[in-house]
Each structure stands twice: as structure tokens, then as C-alpha cells.
């Protein structure tokens, strides 16, 4: 029987139905599943015919459904069969074609490919009987793009992975000549590209057509060759448990190909070399996870024991299925090493040449490969580091909780610790001179603590996160002496639902008593995971590195996280080192003068261009509505922002205070306040409108930027230039502070003029990050950007912090304001506050500024015969003052975190009490050199532009309504001259 006539593209449906009309069909039977997707559209195309629907198709074609559709066919006296759907509808029609020669048109809505084969199957009492017969193939197949467009990301990926299994089956089961072999590999690559494209761009029309062509070709390859063991297992499991066919294929395929590494290494290499990714099986696995597909058989709801029983009853032992049962992530860079103590070890790196080996222990319901991946994210694939992780046989080391594990499951605990001791011995046998580090997460951290009580050797470093000691405190064995001065990093979320805070504190105390050098990291929130700050610090401890960065404002730096990652002689080589992508960021126009030109070249794992379209994101308090309001004219004051009660990160906690101009016009500025109590663990923010200047007032921050990591504490500042993405990770329970945003020119250091070569802010004190990258899958990662004053958001499937090397002068900075060296008058009168300018963003006109940062640190006042408080004045500039710290006075109107506005040319000065106190001093006391405060740190954002308040600042709860009145009343001290012309 000839191959089916196939139509692809926009007119495929019309062509297929015209074929039916040419055959004189009048009474077709239309078969579909219960959802009846697109059945209405197909029936509309059959206008003029008498159509009967049968919408009871089920997966694996149960015998009862075959009888039912046969009856419907006879009752309708049908003269043709039309199917709309996936393999279920097609399979039912095939069962009919075993007994009839009626014309058969298949309209697939998935990429199963069944419509192209002569393979059929019917399930009876949990057993699926399959066969091949030329009669069952469709006569015509129509691949209609609009029918495939709406297939969800999950079903698209699963269906295409199902199709990939077809040429793989032929490759693994039959010896193919070179032409057929290359054809099968090419079809696998075609489908693989479609998987990745449609997972990212599910409505990519050309990719849909290519996917359909690939699925059709894959099915034809399967039709011409034997089914391999992979297919036989899929059919057994599907029939026995009623599992969705494509989902089982997808969960099995990565492990199925990975198993070839041992029994068919040449074919394994050929398949991996054909697939267009550096680590294709890991990428395929990650893509399944990203779209919400099952990456393990267990995730499909089947008990492991039942899976083994079903397979062994029918096919005999199939050990290669075990990784798929647990959901182990295969990787080109990770070896599954069989040994005598349970499932194969996962090993990354070369043990023989390793200087450091990480023994990594996974948590409950997880895998060795998952903790290897987490460990790789921590060590950053540093050379000379290997990772070894054992696998718990059932995915968990014990089903008991950590508190009751010894009482409820002593056998399981002893078995788990025996496995870890054997792993340590296995490492020492193969890397006897390497430093061994211990890393555990969750249940793995609990076991790591217990391992430290055993005599299995010392560890160079211990990283134990989201775990605690096992059992009650009065029954726990003491840590051994091998912990003396060993660096130990322990961490937990503040409200971790699985770890009791008291147990964690007791664990820390016991580690300290054992002599360990313990560092504790408590993350805000309740997420049970390895946090961003924990990954950063763990890398420092394991590798003995720091994130101090490099110094110099405006300098051109060349830095790399891995040796050889940075091209030495050019910016954009055809093939980047290590397969990295070159990407340039420009902070100025290409033709800007060299002295002002800002640009950085980055070398990253994936280009930042690979994201989905942005969609608008509403934000109640971060806005540009001040642009619709007149400038403020009165003095305005605001209380400190309240720390939110609901989980709120830096972006969600931003409140626009006011500004001037419009971001889209790149002229103007904005001032924002922020209050947060949650880290941006799975979110990044990119401001496309302008540079951001962050001033923490409460709570230190870790800024994870694309170029590296910066720690910024209260009393310090950070600059994030326009367009560079970053995440704000909290170092404490909460954080609060100020943000200045400049739309026009970038922040720069002010010229010193007659001050000379020194003083003010020294360029060398500005810290620039060095690369800190992670190759981390993170499905659902939120990427938020602001453009034109409007927020937008998209989602990524991976962390965007993957820059391995960079060079240039367009970078973030951090600066400690305590290093600012103020200059001032030393004889009499005030110096203008401009002398305390740390940073400036000039306007185009000479002497005007878009936004300056002025800081008032502790300093000496030595002037004589001078009214020392700030003088009364009217300023051509707008002033927004904030308080980073000041001596606590409950009755004071000036509190840390508060801010107040002095509009352009609005008269202002100090409060009335300060005037009276200054005037009441004796001349001797008033002229004594003094320090106004040892601890105060106030700042001022100053702009030549007027400021309009946002609607939140105008009427929000933080506004102090009587602020102008709080400054008091300035009484007159005027004394007119006497009649002789002298003062009275």
C-alpha cells in the first residue's frame, strides 16, 4: 500500500477534504476524543455531507471502544473515516481499517505520527496487542498549522519527544546503512530543534510546520523498522496503567538515550553530536520540566514497585528504566558510575586530576543528579573541582521526618549513612590527594550532620543548607574532633516549613562546641531551597575566593570567572571561548567621544535576546504619573515607609516619590522609595529608562547583577546603569531605602575644580563586580523591565546571571560613603552644599544637573563668627532630603527612612528651635571647633529640574500633612538703630 498523501500548511485541510469529495464521499464518520477540539471546523468543511460524530476515542484503544465505533460505523452506513486528534483517534480508525477499505483521512492535532504508520494496537484487560498491517495506514494526512498552534507547551514538547523516539528506535534496533542512519539522525535533530523552539515560542508558525514534517518523517522511519526496547516498555506501561502515550515517551527518552553511553557508545555519541545543543539530554530534560511535563515515571503517578513488576512480567529486567523512574537528569558532563552500594553514583569532573571533590547529598524525593546540578551552580564549573553524589534507592533516604528518623527508621538511617561512608571511601580511592568537601541540602543536610559524627575522615568545608540534626537533642551523638576549625556554612529560611528554628539553633550551637568555624545564613521568607546568597557564599568557601570585585570609577576592566573565558585579542570571535556568546552593551551612542563612551562586552552562556515577548505589568506605586501633575511648591515631608506585612520584594516594594520629565524622552529624573521583606530569588529587574542609584537605609543588600555580585550596606551606595539586570537579595529580615533614577546622562564623578587633585569621592574606592555566573535551570523565572515609565514582564526558563567573562567600562558600582572626604570652609561662612557632591548626572546646559547625590557625613565645623546651621536660602535646584541614620529622638520630625522635599525657589532653612539655640550660644562656645554628629548620615538628591509628586506621595499614608507647620515660627530679632544711628 503506498504511503499516505500528505498536506502541510494553511490549505492542508481544504486539500484533504477536496480529496474526499473527489472520492464521492457522502456519509463520513468523524472520530475524535471527548474534547472534540477542532471537530466543528472540520465538520464545517464537510458541508453538504451527512456527518456522524464519534467522540469516545481513548488512549491505547480499548477493545470496548473498538466495538462501539464499529457499531457506529454500521449504523451510519458510513462511506469514509475522518479522524481529528492525536494517536487515540487515529488508533481507533486503524482498528476499523483492519476490517474495511473505506477511505481514511487523518487530521492530526499532535505530533504522534501514528497516522503515517501501519502499526496498530488494541488493549484488552490491561494488555496491549500490537501489530503491523498495510491496510491500517491513512490514505490522506493533513497537517493544519492552526490546529497545532493551540497545542499547549507541555503537550507540544511531549508529543515531539514521542516523535523523536521513532528514529531513535530504528537506530537502536536495526543495523542501518549510512544513508538511512544519517536520515534518522537528521530527523531527530529536526524534531529536537522544534522542541526547543516551540517550548520557547509556542506560536512560531514555521516551527509548527517543520515539527509536523519531522513527525511525519519520524513515523515513516519507525514504520520501516523494528520497535526497540524503549517502545516496548512504553506500550507495556501505557496499557497496564492507562498512561498518556506521549508523556511516557517523554519521561523515558532522555534516560533511554543516556543508557546507550554504556551499551552503544558509538551510537550515543552520534545522537548527541547530531542534536544542536552542547548538553542535549540535560537541555531536553530541563525543557520538559520547564513546560510542566513529567520528567519521571513516578511523576505520572505509578509506584516504582508496580513499574518494575509490569516490565519484568512482560519483558524481563530493564535496569535502564531506573533513572527515568526517579527522574534522574542525564548530562553529557555527568557519568552514572555503577558500584556495589546501590544505584549508580553521579560523577561530574575528573577525579584523577581534581584538587577538590564535593561529596553532595540530595534531599527527600530528589536525585543525585539534581544535587550535582545544584553543586555545579555553586562551584561555577571551576577547573580542578569534581562532584560525586550517591542516589537514594527510592529517591528519599528515609520516609521518616528528621526529628523521628532514628526512632522510626533506624535501618534506613544506617543504610543511608553506610552509603555516604562508602561514597567517601570511593572518592578517596580515586582522588587520594584531593580536598574533600561535604555538601547537603534538606534531608541531605540532615544526613551530612549525622555523617560528621562518624569516623570517616575530615572534610575541608561543610555546606549544610535547610537541614538540622536528626533526633532529639538528648539522644544525639556528639560531633567528632575532625570539625576543629573547619569552615561550616549552615542556612535556612526564616520560616522554613520543614525545619524547626529551635532545632536549627541547637545544631549551630553543637557545631560551635565541636570547634567548627560556623557561618549562619538565615534567608527571609519560607522557601525551602538553596538561596542566592547561600550559593554565592558557598562558592567563596569551597573555592577560597572572594567577591570583593575590582576598583576604579570609569575604569576599563577585563575579568573572567573561568580561565580562558575572555577573548584576548578581539571582541566578537566567530566561536567564543568555551562556546560562549559575545554580547555588547552600550551605555552611550556608538559615536560618543572616547572620554564619555561607555560600553562593555560580555561573554555568556546564552544571549539575553532569547526571551519571550514582554507583557505589561501593573504596579500600584511604581509609576510615572507625576508627569501629569504640576510641580510641588510647598515643603513636603514623608514618614519612613512601613515594612510590608505580605511578602514583598524590592520591585514590588518600590514607591515613586516624584520626578520631572519623561523616561521615554530620556530627559528628567525620578525619586523612589523601597521597602521589602523578600529576596528576588527567582526574579530580575532591568531598568531601561535610566541609571539607578540605590541608598539602603535599613537592611544590607546583596545585588546579584549580570556582571557579578555587589554587597551594599546602609551607609553605602550602589549604581546600576541603564539596561543591566539585577536581583536584590536581602541579608536580613527586611530592607528599606531610597532610589534615584536619572533618565538622561549617566552618573559621573564631579570635577573638583579649585579643590585640586584630592578630596571628595576617590575613584579607587568604587567597587565594580567580577563575574559570578550560574548555569541554572529556573522555570518560571520572572524578568521585569521598565521602559517609558511602564513595567513589563516575561518569563525565562533559566537564570539570566550567566556572564562568565566581561571587559569594558559600563558597569555597576558600590561605594562606601564613609570614604567620602568632605571639603569645607576653615575660616568663616558656609561652603555651599555642592561641595558635598558624591555623584552628578549633568544636564546638557552648562552648570545644571539632572540629578546629583549630595551627602552630609560626620565632619568638623571650624568656622568662626558664623551661623553654623544650614543657612536660609532659596535654591534654583530642587532638593529631596533623606536620612540614612541619625541619633534616635522619638520626638524628632527627622527619623531614619524619612524624606522631605524643598521645591525650586521655595524658601527654607532649619527649624525655629535650631535658630534659637545657635543664637543663644556665647561667642566662645559658638566658635569652638565641633562635630555636628558622630553618627548622622543625611543625603540630598538635587536637580535643576522641578519635581512633581506622584499620586502616592501626594496623598498616601506616609505623607505628613502638617509638615510646613513643623518648622515652627521664626521670631524677629530686628532692632532698629537709635536716634544717634547706632543699634539700640
Amino acid at each position: 500500500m503506498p504511503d499516505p498523501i500528505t498536506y502541510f500548511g494553511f490549505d492542508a485541510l481544504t486539500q484533504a477534504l477536496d480529496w474526499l469529495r473527489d472520492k464521492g464521499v457522502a456519509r463520513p464518520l468523524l472520530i475524535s476524543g471527548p474534547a472534540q477540539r477542532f471537530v466543528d471546523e472540520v465538520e464545517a468543511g464537510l458541508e453538504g455531507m451527512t456527518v456522524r460524530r464519534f467522540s469516545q476515542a481513548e488512549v491505547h484503544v480499548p477493545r470496548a471502544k473498538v466495538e462501539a465505533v464499529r457499531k457506529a460505523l454500521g449504523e451510519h452506513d458510513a462511506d469514509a473515516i475522518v479522524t481529528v486528534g492525536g494517536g487515540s483517534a487515529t488508533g481507533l480508525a486503524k482498528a476499523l481499517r483492519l476490517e474495511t477499505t473505506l477511505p481514511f483521512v487523518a487530521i492530526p492535532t499532535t505530533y504522534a505520527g501514528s497516522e503515517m504508520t501501519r502499526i496498530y494496537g488494541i488493549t484488552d484487560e490491561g494488555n496491549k496487542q500490537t501489530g503491523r498491517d498495510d491496510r491500517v495506514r491513512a490514505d490522506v494526512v493533513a497537517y493544519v498549522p492552526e490546529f497545532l498552534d493551540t497545542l499547549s507547551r507541555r503537550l507540544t514538547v511531549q508529543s515531539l519527544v514521542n516523535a523523536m523516539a521513532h528514529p531513535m528506535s530504528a537506530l537502536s534496533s536495526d543495523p542501518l546503512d549510512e544513508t538511512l542512519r544519517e536520515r534518522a539522525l537528521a530527523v531527530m535533530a529536526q524534531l529536537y530543534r522544534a522542541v526547543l523552539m516551540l517550548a520557547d515560542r509556542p506560536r512560531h508558525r514555521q516551527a509548527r510546520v517543520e515539527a509536523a514534517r519531522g513527525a511525519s518523517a519520524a513515523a515513516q522511519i519507525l514504520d520501516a523498522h523494528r520497535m526497540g526496547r524503549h517502545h516496548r516498555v512504553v506500550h507495556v506501561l501505557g496499557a497496564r496503567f492507562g498512561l498518556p502515550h506521549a508523556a511516557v515517551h517523554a519521561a523515558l527518552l532522555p534516560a533511554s538515550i543516556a543508557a546507550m553511553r554504556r551499551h552503544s557508545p558509538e551510537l550515543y555519541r552520534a545522537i548527541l553530536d547530531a542534536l544542536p545543543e552542547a548538553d542535549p539530554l540535560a537541555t531536553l530534560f530541563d525543557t520538559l520540566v520547564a513546560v510542566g511535563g513529567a520528567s519521571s515515571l513516578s511523576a505520572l503517578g505509578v509506584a516504582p514497585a508496580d513499574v518494575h513488576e509490569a516490565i519484568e512480567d512482560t519483558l524481563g529486567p530493564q535496569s535502564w528504566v531506573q533513572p527515568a523512574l526517579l527522574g534522574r537528569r542525564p548530562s553529557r558532563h555527568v557519568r552514572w558510575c555503577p558500584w556495589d552500594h546501590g544505584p549508580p553514583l553521579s560523577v561530574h569532573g575528573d577525579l584523577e586530576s581534581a584538587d577538590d571533590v564535593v561529596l553532595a547529598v540530595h534531599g527527600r524525593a530528589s536525585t543525585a543528579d539534581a544535587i550535582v546540578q545544584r553543586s555545579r551552580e555553586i562551584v561555577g564549573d571551576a577547573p580542578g573541582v569534581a562532584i560525586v553524589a550517591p542516589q537514594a534507592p527510592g529517591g528519599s533516604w528515609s520516609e521518616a521526618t528528621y526529628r523521628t528518623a532514628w526512632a522510626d527508621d533506624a535501618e534506613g538511617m544506617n543504610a543511608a549513612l553506610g552509603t555516604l561512608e562508602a561514597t567517601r571511601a570511593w572518592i578517596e580511592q580515586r582522588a587520594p590527594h584531593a580536598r574533600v568537601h561535604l555538601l547537603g541540602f534538606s534531608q541531605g543536610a540532615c544526613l551530612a550532620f549525622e555523617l560528621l559524627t562518624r569516623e570517616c575522615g575530615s572534610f575541608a568545608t561543610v555546606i549544610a543548607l535547610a537541614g538540622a540534626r536528626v533526633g532529639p537533642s538528648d539522644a544525639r551523638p556528639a560531633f567528632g574532633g575532625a570539625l576543629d576549625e573547619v569552615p561550616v556554612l549552615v542556612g535556612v529560611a526564616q520560616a522554613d516549613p520543614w525545619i524547626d528554628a529551635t532545632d536549627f539553633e541547637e545544631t549551630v550551637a553543637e557545631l560551635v562546641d565541636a570547634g567548627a568555624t560556623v557561618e549562619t545564613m538565615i534567608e527571609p521568607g519560607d522557601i525551602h531551597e538553596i538561596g542566592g546568597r547561600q550559593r554565592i557564599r558557598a562558592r567563596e568557601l569551597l573555592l577560597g575566593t572572594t567577591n570583593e570585585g575590582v576598583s576604579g570609577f570609569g575604569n576599563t576592566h577585563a575579568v573572567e570567572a573561568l580561565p580562558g573565558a575572555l577573548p584576548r585579542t578581539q571582541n566578537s570571535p566567530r566561536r567564543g571561548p568555551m562556546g560562549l556568546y559575545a554580547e555588547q552593551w552600550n551605555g552611550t551612542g556608538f559615536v560618543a567621544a572616547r572620554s564619555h563612551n561607555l560600553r562593555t562586552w560580555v561573554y555568556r552562556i546564552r544571549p539575553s535576546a532569547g526571551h519571550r515577548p514582554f507583557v505589561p505589568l501593573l504596579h500600584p506605586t511604581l509609576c510615572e504619573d507625576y508627569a501629569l501633575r504640576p510641580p510641588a511648591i510647598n515643603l513636603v515631608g514623608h514618614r519612613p515607609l512601613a515594612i510590608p506585612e505580605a511578602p514583598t520584594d524590592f520591585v514590588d516594594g518600590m514607591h515613586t516619590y516624584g520626578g520631572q520629565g519623561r523616561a521615554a524622552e530620556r530627559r528628567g529624573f525620578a525619586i523612589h522609595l523601597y521597602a521589602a521583606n523578600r529576596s528576588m530569588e527567582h526574579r530580575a529587574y532591568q531598568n531601561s529608562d535610566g541609571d539607578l542609584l540605590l541608598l539602603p537605609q535599613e537592611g544590607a543588600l546583596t545585588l546579584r547583577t549580570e556582571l557579578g555580585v555587589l554587597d551594599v550596606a546602609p551607609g553605602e551606595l550602589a549604581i546600576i546603569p541603564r539596561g543591566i539586570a539585577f536581583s536584590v537579595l536581602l541579608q536580613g529580615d527586611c530592607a528599606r531605602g531610597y532610589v534615584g533614577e536619572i533618565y538622561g546622562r549617566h552618573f559621573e564623578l564631579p570635577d573638583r575644580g579649585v579643590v585640586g587633585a584630592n578630596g571628595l569621592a576617590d575613584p579607587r574606592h568604587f567597587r565594580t563586580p567580577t563575574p559570578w555566573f550560574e548555569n541554572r535551570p529556573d522555570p518560571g523565572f520572572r524578568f521585569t523591565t521598565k521602559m517609558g515609565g511602564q513595567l513589563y514582564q516575561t518569563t525565562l526558563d533559566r537564570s539570566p546571571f550567566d556572564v562568565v567573562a566581561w571587559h569594558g567600562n559600563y558597569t555597576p558600582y558600590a561605594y562606601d560613603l564613609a570614604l567620602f572626604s568632605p571639603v569645607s570652609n576653615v575660616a568663616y561662612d558656609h561652603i555651599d552644599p555642592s561641595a558635598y557632591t558624591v555623584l552628578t548626572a549633568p544636564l546638557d546646559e552648562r552648570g545644571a544637573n539632572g540629578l546629583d547625590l549630595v551627602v552630609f557625613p560626620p565632619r568638623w565645623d571650624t568656622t568662626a563668627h558664623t551661623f553654623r546651621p544650614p543657612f536660609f536660602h532659596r535654591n534654583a535646584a530642587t532638593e529631596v532630603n533623606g536620612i540614612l541614620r541619625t541619633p534616635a529622638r522619638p520626638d524628632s520630625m527627622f527619623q531614619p527612612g524619612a524624606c522631605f522635599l524643598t521645591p525650586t525657589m521655595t524658601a527654607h532653612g532649619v527649624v525655629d528651635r535650631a535658630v534659637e539655640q545657635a543664637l543663644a550660644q556665647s561667642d566662645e562656645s559658638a566658635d569652638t571647633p565641633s562635630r555636628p554628629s558622630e553618627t548622622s548620615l543625611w543625603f540630598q538628591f538635587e536637580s535643576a529640574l522641578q519635581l512633581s509628586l506622584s499620586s502616592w506621595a501626594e496623598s498616601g499614608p506616609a505623607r505628613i500633612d502638617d509638615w510646613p507647620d513643623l518648622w515652627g515660627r521664626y521670631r524677629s530679632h530686628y532692632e532698629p538703630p537709635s536716634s544717634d544711628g547706632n543699634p539700640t
Side-chain angles (χ1 to χ4, degrees):
M1 189 172 182
D3 290 338
I5 300 168
T6 53
Y7 298 114
F8 299 90
F10 303 110
D11 58 350
L13 179 61
T14 300
Q15 291 175 303
L17 300 186
D18 285 347
W19 182 88
L20 282 176
R21 288 190 175 86
D22 291 343
K23 292 290 185 182
V25 170
R27 301 178 62 81
L29 178 67
L30 190 55
I31 301 175
S32 73
Q36 301 190 64
R37 294 176 65 246
F38 304 112
V39 171
D40 290 343
E41 290 88 335
V42 173
E43 186 169 347
L46 296 170
E47 184 179 4
M49 303 181 193
T50 303
V51 179
R52 175 166 175 174
R53 295 188 183 188
F54 183 88
S55 56
Q56 302 173 36
E58 288 184 13
V59 66
H60 303 299
V61 194
R63 173 71 66 183
K65 296 300 178 184
V66 176
E67 300 299 331
V69 75
R70 183 184 294 124
K71 180 180 179 182
L73 186 76
E75 290 174 348
H76 185 55
D77 193 21
D79 57 0
I81 303 167
V82 180
T83 62
V84 183
S88 300
T90 304
L92 202 52
K94 285 182 170 183
L96 288 177
R97 286 270 287 203
L98 287 170
E99 303 171 1
T100 180
T101 58
L102 294 178
F104 172 18
V105 171
I107 305 169
T109 58
T110 71
Y111 302 103
S114 174
E115 63 279 351
M116 297 299 299
T117 76
R118 55 199 172 90
I119 302 168
Y120 68 91
I122 300 172
T123 301
D124 201 351
E125 296 183 353
N127 294 309
K128 190 170 186 177
Q129 300 298 318
T130 61
R132 296 176 186 248
D133 194 305
D134 288 339
R135 294 173 295 173
V136 305
R137 260 195 306 219
D139 299 304
V140 173
V141 180
Y143 294 100
V144 185
E146 53 264 40
F147 288 7
L148 296 166
D149 273 354
T150 59
L151 200 61
S152 70
R153 292 174 70 211
R154 176 176 60 83
L155 292 176
T156 294
V157 168
Q158 288 177 326
S159 186
L160 285 170
V161 176
N162 175 6
M164 282 183 66
H166 298 158
M168 187 211 70
S169 189
L171 287 165
S172 62
S173 60
D174 279 344
L176 305 182
D177 62 37
E178 189 62 27
T179 301
L180 290 175
R181 176 186 171 91
E182 291 304 314
R183 172 63 175 157
L185 291 171
V187 170
M188 285 190 74
Q190 180 182 6
L191 290 167
Y192 187 88
R193 283 191 293 270
V195 166
L196 302 188
M197 177 63 77
L198 292 174
D200 258 354
R201 303 283 193 274
R203 296 188 63 81
H204 193 290
R205 186 57 59 86
Q206 186 57 39
R208 289 285 179 186
V209 173
E210 288 304 308
R213 292 185 184 277
S216 176
Q220 289 174 307
I221 292 172
L222 177 67
D223 194 47
H225 299 278
R226 292 181 299 153
M227 286 189 182
R229 62 179 187 178
H230 172 96
H231 270 77
R232 293 197 296 272
V233 168
V234 170
H235 284 291
V236 166
L237 296 178
R240 179 71 62 91
F241 304 111
L243 301 176
H245 188 69
V248 180
H249 267 298
L252 271 174
L253 187 72
S256 185
I257 297 175
M260 296 178 183
R261 189 173 193 165
R262 293 186 63 80
H263 66 74
S264 301
E266 184 182 353
L267 179 57
Y268 171 80
R269 287 191 296 271
I271 291 176
L272 264 60
D273 290 345
L275 302 182
E277 275 283 328
D279 195 357
L281 297 186
T283 301
L284 184 61
F285 183 95
D286 294 341
T287 302
L288 272 172
V289 173
V291 300
S295 57
S296 70
L297 296 177
S298 298
L300 293 172
V302 186
D306 294 339
V307 169
H308 288 302
E309 180 182 353
I311 293 174
E312 292 189 13
D313 285 351
T314 310
L315 303 174
Q318 300 288 325
S319 60
W320 65 272
V321 175
Q322 183 67 22
L325 183 62
L326 297 175
R328 297 186 68 168
R329 178 184 187 263
S331 169
R332 193 173 215 156
H333 307 297
V334 177
R335 303 181 305 282
W336 288 339
C337 297
W339 68 327
D340 297 331
H341 300 277
L345 295 166
S346 290
V347 180
H348 173 267
D350 181 11
L351 284 167
E352 292 185 1
S353 63
D355 297 316
D356 296 89
V357 180
V358 178
L359 194 172
V361 192
H362 70 78
R364 185 187 300 273
S366 187
T367 66
D369 305 279
I371 197 64
V372 166
Q373 176 61 22
R374 300 290 85 77
S375 301
R376 289 183 64 190
E377 293 161 8
I378 287 173
V379 301
D381 289 334
V385 180
I387 304 164
V388 179
Q391 174 65 54
S396 296
W397 300 102
S398 171
E399 295 305 318
T401 69
Y402 76 92
R403 279 186 157 185
T404 65
W406 281 115
D408 295 347
D409 188 19
E411 182 179 354
M413 286 294 294
N414 281 315
L417 291 171
T419 299
L420 298 187
E421 289 174 313
T423 306
R424 175 65 191 265
W426 190 90
I427 291 170
E428 289 183 341
Q429 184 179 9
R430 289 157 180 80
H433 304 296
R435 294 180 294 270
V436 182
H437 309 265
L438 179 61
L439 185 150
F441 169 68
S442 189
Q443 191 180 65
C446 300
L447 279 174
F449 291 132
E450 298 312 296
L451 184 63
L452 295 174
T453 68
R454 302 283 185 108
E455 295 294 332
C456 65
S458 62
F459 291 96
T461 310
V462 177
I463 311 292
L465 303 171
R469 288 295 310 270
V470 176
S473 57
D474 57 357
R476 293 198 289 254
F479 289 120
L483 271 177
D484 192 32
E485 296 188 1
V486 172
V488 177
L489 176 64
V490 292
V492 71
Q494 190 177 45
D496 191 311
W498 304 107
I499 303 297
D500 184 88
T502 301
D503 295 334
F504 180 79
E505 292 167 2
E506 289 178 352
T507 299
V508 172
E510 291 176 32
L511 289 166
V512 171
D513 290 343
T517 304
V518 183
E519 187 171 341
T520 303
M521 300 189 80
I522 309 296
E523 300 295 334
D526 59 358
I527 302 178
H528 190 74
E529 64 179 358
I530 301 176
R533 289 181 57 243
Q534 293 170 347
R535 293 195 297 276
I536 292 165
R537 184 58 183 143
R539 182 178 299 183
E540 291 180 325
L541 289 176
L542 287 172
L543 303 183
T545 60
T546 65
N547 285 308
E548 291 182 356
V550 288
S551 65
F553 190 95
N555 289 4
T556 294
H557 300 287
V559 284
E560 58 190 3
L562 296 177
L566 186 70
R568 300 300 175 186
T569 58
Q570 65 179 116
N571 296 323
S572 186
R574 184 167 66 89
R575 288 192 176 93
M578 305 177 188
L580 299 172
Y581 284 89
E583 181 174 298
Q584 184 179 198
W585 301 344
N586 290 92
T588 53
F590 291 130
V591 297
R594 180 184 288 264
S595 59
H596 290 90
N597 204 301
L598 299 172
R599 71 90 166 93
T600 289
W601 280 91
V602 302
Y603 302 90
R604 63 191 316 160
I605 295 171
R606 287 173 179 78
S608 57
H611 61 74
R612 304 180 188 99
F614 287 103
V615 296
L617 176 67
L618 296 178
H619 195 298
T621 55
L622 180 59
C623 60
E624 202 180 77
D625 67 353
Y626 57 81
L628 305 175
R629 308 170 67 87
I633 191 168
N634 290 313
L635 302 180
V636 179
H638 283 77
R639 301 178 187 87
L641 271 182
I643 301 299
E645 295 181 3
T648 303
D649 66 24
F650 171 82
V651 175
D652 292 337
M654 288 184 74
H655 294 65
T656 300
Y657 186 80
Q660 195 53 261
R662 301 192 71 99
E665 297 170 359
R666 289 199 55 196
R667 290 295 183 273
F669 73 99
I671 306 297
H672 313 280
L673 312 175
Y674 71 86
N677 58 8
R678 179 174 65 181
S679 292
M680 294 169 62
E681 293 288 358
H682 305 282
R683 188 182 197 184
Y685 181 54
Q686 176 197 55
N687 186 38
S688 300
D689 286 338
D691 291 2
L692 296 179
L693 195 160
L694 278 63
L695 288 164
Q697 177 268 316
E698 179 179 347
L701 309 176
T702 294
L703 303 181
R704 180 175 52 176
T705 81
E706 289 181 280
L707 295 188
V709 175
L710 290 171
D711 287 322
V712 189
E716 299 179 331
L717 66 81
I719 300 173
I720 307 293
R722 176 189 294 116
I724 295 181
F726 66 101
S727 293
V728 176
L729 307 177
L730 309 190
Q731 295 186 23
D733 299 345
C734 59
R736 181 170 58 199
Y738 309 85
V739 179
E741 179 180 9
I742 183 65
Y743 300 147
R745 292 169 64 176
H746 298 280
F747 287 110
E748 57 188 60
L749 294 178
D751 290 330
R752 293 190 180 103
V754 296
V755 171
N758 303 293
L760 308 184
D762 195 312
R764 70 190 176 109
H765 292 150
F766 284 79
R767 308 189 311 274
T768 292
T770 52
W772 192 98
F773 77 96
E774 55 185 11
N775 186 12
R776 181 167 63 94
D778 196 349
F781 188 100
R782 293 187 296 159
F783 191 90
T784 305
T785 190
K786 185 167 79 71
M787 179 177 283
Q790 168 66 51
L791 284 180
Y792 300 88
Q793 188 160 278
T794 187
T795 57
L796 310 176
D797 292 332
R798 308 189 66 83
S799 165
F801 302 110
D802 65 353
V803 173
V804 184
W806 61 266
H807 74 87
N809 63 347
Y810 190 56
T811 73
Y813 295 101
Y815 174 73
D816 186 348
L817 293 169
L819 299 175
F820 183 77
S821 177
V823 297
S824 188
N825 291 11
V826 293
Y828 62 88
D829 285 348
H830 283 270
I831 197 166
D832 289 323
S834 56
Y836 300 110
T837 301
V838 181
L839 292 161
T840 184
L843 283 175
D844 295 334
E845 60 193 270
R846 184 168 181 167
N849 55 303
L851 193 67
D852 284 358
L853 173 69
V854 179
V855 65
F856 304 105
R859 61 201 181 277
W860 283 99
D861 192 336
T862 60
T863 55
H865 317 302
T866 300
F867 180 76
R868 286 183 173 178
F871 51 77
F872 288 92
H873 73 303
R874 291 182 298 198
N875 193 354
T878 298
E879 300 172 357
V880 177
N881 293 268
I883 306 172
L884 299 175
R885 60 176 182 260
T886 197
R889 291 199 298 267
D891 59 336
S892 174
M893 57 194 283
F894 302 114
Q895 297 292 330
C899 60
F900 52 98
L901 164 69
T902 305
T904 302
M905 286 302 181
T906 296
H908 59 283
V910 294
V911 296
D912 58 352
R913 295 189 306 276
V915 174
E916 299 306 320
Q917 289 168 2
L919 295 178
Q921 288 181 294
S922 66
D923 289 345
E924 181 181 4
S925 174
D927 289 347
T928 302
S930 63
R931 288 174 68 82
S933 171
E934 296 288 347
T935 58
S936 287
L937 185 59
W938 294 40
F939 75 91
Q940 189 177 94
F941 285 127
E942 186 172 288
S943 176
L945 303 174
Q946 298 170 348
L947 181 140
S948 298
L949 292 172
S950 70
S951 57
W952 171 83
E954 182 69 47
S955 57
R959 178 163 182 167
I960 303 172
D961 293 329
D962 59 349
W963 182 256
D965 299 327
L966 296 179
W967 295 80
R969 177 184 177 276
Y970 305 109
R971 72 182 181 91
S972 173
H973 294 272
Y974 172 67
E975 291 283 354
S978 63
S979 58
D980 60 4
N982 296 314
T984 302

